Amino acid sequence: MALSAACGLSVAAALCGLVPFWGVYEILQATTDGDSPADPHAVLGWAAAVAAALIGRHLCAALSTGLAHRVGFDILHAVRAALIAKTQRLPLGFFLDRPVGRLSHVFQEQVEILELFFSHQLPDMVAALAAPLLCLTVMALIDWRLAVAALGILPLAWAGNAWMMRGHGPRIGAYFGLIRTINAEAVQFIQGMELVRSFTVRGGAGSGLGGRLVDAIEAFRRFALEWQTRWLPGWSLYAVGAGTAPLFVAPLGLWLHGRGELEAPAFLAALLLSGLLGPPLQKVTIYGELYQRVRKAEEAIAAILDAPEPPVSVTGSEPVREGRAFAVAFDAVSFDHGGKPALREVSFTAPAGGITALVGPSGAGKSTAAHLVGRFWDVGEGAIRIGGADIRTIPPERLKAMVSFVFQDSTLFNGSVLDNLRMGRPDADRETVAAAARAARCHDLIAALPEGYDTPVGEGGARFSGGERQRIAIARAILKDAPILILDEPTAFADAENEALIQEALSGLMAGRTAIVIAHRLDSVRHADRIVVMEDGRVAAAGRHDDLMAACPLYRDLTDRQAEVLRWRLPGTQSDVRSGFEQEA
């Protein structure tokens, strides 16, 4: 309703803009008629109408702008709220499969395009469409023949528009594609600034990550210049055609005036009105191009809002609780990712309350298998069961409550430490939060901060080291108290001191829970209840460490290679530090 009112007021402003021309015409008619004296009341009446129209034009334009902005910001809020709500329901694999820069571009720039269109462009576009029709209507009231003559601009304007818009749709798609590339490269460039500054010795920003960003910006510049070169001739022809209505009206008007069929005031008013046809027609073309951008933005937003959510079968059963934990079973699971096979007929069981380690070479499918437990994606064949229930039959909110993840490099959001810890349990009181932090060996760290638990963590947790972020993430997982825990090499980026603290924290976190640990350092999981060896997306073997050392050549080879790596030291140095493998030997 408000948007319709804004468009209506915009049209009213355009109509008010034509009233002065009609008023001047009437005044001239009254004052130049030599047969009878001018009626002062009529002249004053038309003068007042002209003044009222001038005021009304600006008033309607102001009200239209105010209403349109209100609608635009309401739409901005509604679309972003819908995107946020939708992302909460989408599987996490949706985000792993898409660059951060592309999603950020949708949430920011492309949503802003919608707001800009509804706040500014749509009312102006409606007015630009209405203004020529209103102008021609007034001309027709003066003399219909002059209105018809003004239409002589159409063939030239049509030809210019067709020339200009040729191939426009694909170019709009390419335009947004280049913008997405710039955003993605800019995100990587900023996030990788340490790497850029450390490795870029020569070539400055033209090398490495900075080089890719520069190349993306340069590609956009070349594209824009090439598009402008193709667009300019057609636009010039269109602008000339749309603005030359007086050249069609003037000859006919002079001829009619010479024959005594058109009075001078009428001719002057029609000539002036014909000059008003060009600007709104040029705006229509510009807004048509902008509307193409809006359509592309709508498609990008719809691609998120219409993305399929994980289906939930209503015929499933509730998972069976086994003590404090649930067993997790892979039953002949196959899964393709990005068109390539990632897992093939994977079967194993992570016992309730036990520790199951996934080991194997890089690319073996360990992380994929762990992510499938959280239903980042749905399996292609087979099933994953928690407590005997297929995870596809468990409501997503219930599944999220049952599974906690601690990744290699945990993310902290730009809020307080307390806000970050409470993510999985917003209603936790401070005492409960502090207890979780103590269990995760990070309470002393947090208490020493300037504002304690209320201290901002900085963007991405910049205030803390990688190991400190991990301990806070473990405290977050402890506070969530989920019965199933997925650990993706949680000590990978920790120094020796933090690694020891993290291992202590993890020991408390895993107690009584079903834990699935992705491990590259095999000595850290040698005492796991079950070790699953993966290779090329399949289970090569499963069992305890001693059994696998005796029966699985792949596991033995991985173990020997890691022991060799751990024995390595700088040439000319000696070390008294020995790995667990060396100590056992």
Side-chain angles (χ1 to χ4, degrees):
M1 182 65 72
L3 186 59
S4 299
C7 293
L9 286 167
S10 187
V11 173
L15 180 59
C16 287
L18 298 177
V19 171
F21 291 93
W22 185 265
V24 169
Y25 162 66
E26 291 290 348
I27 292 171
L28 288 175
Q29 284 280 73
T31 55
T32 58
D33 187 355
D35 296 334
S36 60
D39 182 357
H41 296 291
V43 172
L44 288 174
W46 279 109
V50 169
L54 290 174
I55 296 172
R57 178 184 181 184
H58 294 292
L59 179 60
C60 288
L63 291 174
S64 174
T65 299
L67 283 174
H69 273 78
R70 180 172 181 175
V71 172
F73 288 122
D74 284 344
I75 290 173
L76 188 71
H77 172 267
V79 172
R80 282 189 171 143
L83 285 170
I84 291 171
K86 179 70 175 185
T87 56
Q88 299 297 307
R89 301 191 301 270
L90 288 173
L92 290 176
F94 178 89
F95 304 97
L96 295 181
D97 293 339
R98 289 162 177 80
V100 174
R102 177 179 298 181
L103 294 173
S104 174
H105 178 58
V106 175
F107 272 76
Q108 295 298 323
E109 287 87 345
Q110 293 190 306
V111 176
E112 290 286 350
I113 285 174
L114 293 186
E115 185 275 326
L116 182 65
F117 177 73
F118 287 106
S119 296
H120 296 276
Q121 296 162 1
L122 181 59
D124 288 349
M125 186 170 70
V126 172
L129 288 168
L133 298 176
L134 294 172
C135 191
L136 288 169
T137 300
V138 175
M139 289 181 66
L141 292 174
I142 296 172
D143 191 299
W144 67 269
R145 292 168 294 184
L146 298 180
V148 172
L151 296 177
I153 65 173
L154 293 180
L156 193 61
W158 179 86
N161 185 70
W163 187 0
M164 178 175 55
M165 300 302 290
R166 184 176 52 188
H168 196 74
R171 287 194 181 94
I172 285 288
Y175 168 86
F176 278 122
L178 289 168
I179 290 291
R180 286 195 299 269
T181 299
I182 289 175
N183 283 348
E185 294 296 342
V187 168
Q188 289 194 66
F189 179 70
I190 294 170
Q191 290 179 340
M193 184 56 66
E194 291 183 9
L195 184 66
V196 173
R197 299 291 291 272
S198 298
F199 282 85
T200 304
V201 179
R202 290 177 296 192
S207 305
L209 290 173
R212 294 212 304 267
L213 177 57
V214 169
D215 290 344
I217 294 172
E218 176 62 22
F220 181 82
R221 186 188 72 85
R222 290 196 303 268
F223 171 83
L225 290 176
E226 187 269 340
W227 192 1
Q228 188 262 352
T229 301
R230 289 176 176 269
W231 178 80
L232 184 59
W235 168 249
S236 301
L237 180 61
Y238 178 83
V240 169
T244 54
L247 298 181
F248 294 91
V249 172
L252 178 61
L254 290 172
W255 183 73
L256 292 174
H257 180 68
R259 288 170 56 89
E261 298 180 21
L262 184 67
E263 296 179 350
F267 170 53
L268 178 61
L271 188 63
L272 292 174
L273 284 168
S274 67
L276 299 180
L277 291 173
L281 288 176
Q282 292 175 11
K283 281 187 176 181
V284 167
T285 296
I286 293 173
Y287 287 138
E289 188 269 338
L290 293 174
Y291 181 66
Q292 292 284 342
R293 298 188 185 187
V294 172
R295 290 290 302 275
K296 292 295 183 182
E298 287 178 338
E299 290 174 5
I301 293 169
I304 295 177
L305 295 179
D306 296 338
E309 299 175 20
V312 179
S313 171
V314 296
T315 60
S317 59
E318 185 73 11
V320 177
R321 190 88 176 194
E322 302 177 36
R324 293 184 57 210
F326 296 93
V328 178
F330 279 65
D331 184 6
V333 170
S334 293
F335 173 68
D336 291 345
H337 188 220
K340 298 179 180 179
L343 298 179
R344 281 292 173 264
E345 298 182 350
V346 170
S347 295
F348 68 87
T349 297
I355 299 174
T356 300
L358 304 183
V359 304
S362 296
K366 304 182 296 296
S367 293
T368 300
H371 289 161
L372 289 175
V373 176
R375 216 178 165 192
F376 284 28
W377 306 276
D378 274 337
V379 302
E381 297 177 9
I384 299 174
R385 294 185 173 85
I386 292 178
D390 190 322
I391 61 173
R392 290 169 293 192
T393 69
I394 303 174
E397 291 301 319
R398 168 76 169 138
L399 182 62
K400 283 196 294 185
M402 295 173 67
V403 183
S404 281
F405 282 86
V406 178
F407 298 102
Q408 289 184 11
D409 188 13
S410 294
T411 299
L412 299 183
F413 294 95
N414 193 12
S416 69
V417 176
L418 185 64
D419 291 337
N420 275 274
L421 291 172
R422 280 176 170 168
M423 283 191 65
R425 191 174 167 186
D427 59 346
D429 57 40
R430 286 179 175 265
E431 291 74 14
T432 305
V433 172
R438 288 188 181 92
R441 307 300 190 269
C442 61
H443 172 74
D444 292 342
L445 164 70
I446 298 170
L449 295 173
E451 299 174 58
Y453 282 82
D454 296 314
T455 304
V457 302
E459 185 175 355
R463 178 182 288 273
F464 302 105
S465 69
E468 291 169 343
R469 286 198 302 270
Q470 282 296 76
R471 282 187 276 155
I472 293 174
I474 292 169
R476 185 163 57 195
I478 291 172
L479 197 62
K480 182 180 177 182
D481 197 25
I484 298 170
L485 182 64
I486 310 293
L487 303 173
D488 189 351
E489 196 62 30
T491 63
F493 303 128
D495 55 38
E497 179 181 357
N498 272 298
E499 181 177 3
L501 292 170
I502 290 171
Q503 288 176 343
E504 290 180 16
L506 289 175
S507 297
L509 176 59
M510 289 189 291
R513 293 179 172 85
T514 302
I516 297 177
V517 183
I518 301 168
H520 297 94
R521 293 174 53 178
L522 302 185
D523 57 339
S524 65
V525 295
R526 59 192 293 113
H527 300 298
D529 299 294
R530 189 171 183 81
I531 299 174
V532 178
V533 184
M534 300 189 67
E535 182 181 25
D536 295 330
R538 299 178 183 273
V539 174
R544 297 184 68 89
H545 170 74
D546 293 338
D547 298 331
L548 292 173
M549 286 294 289
C552 180
L554 174 60
Y555 182 78
R556 190 166 54 248
D557 181 60
L558 291 171
T559 302
D560 292 343
R561 289 190 180 198
Q562 188 166 98
E564 183 178 347
V565 169
L566 292 173
R567 284 194 297 268
W568 181 87
R569 58 181 180 269
L570 289 172
T573 65
Q574 293 183 349
S575 174
D576 293 329
V577 179
R578 295 183 298 166
S579 71
F581 296 118
E582 293 176 295
Q583 292 170 5
E584 182 177 291

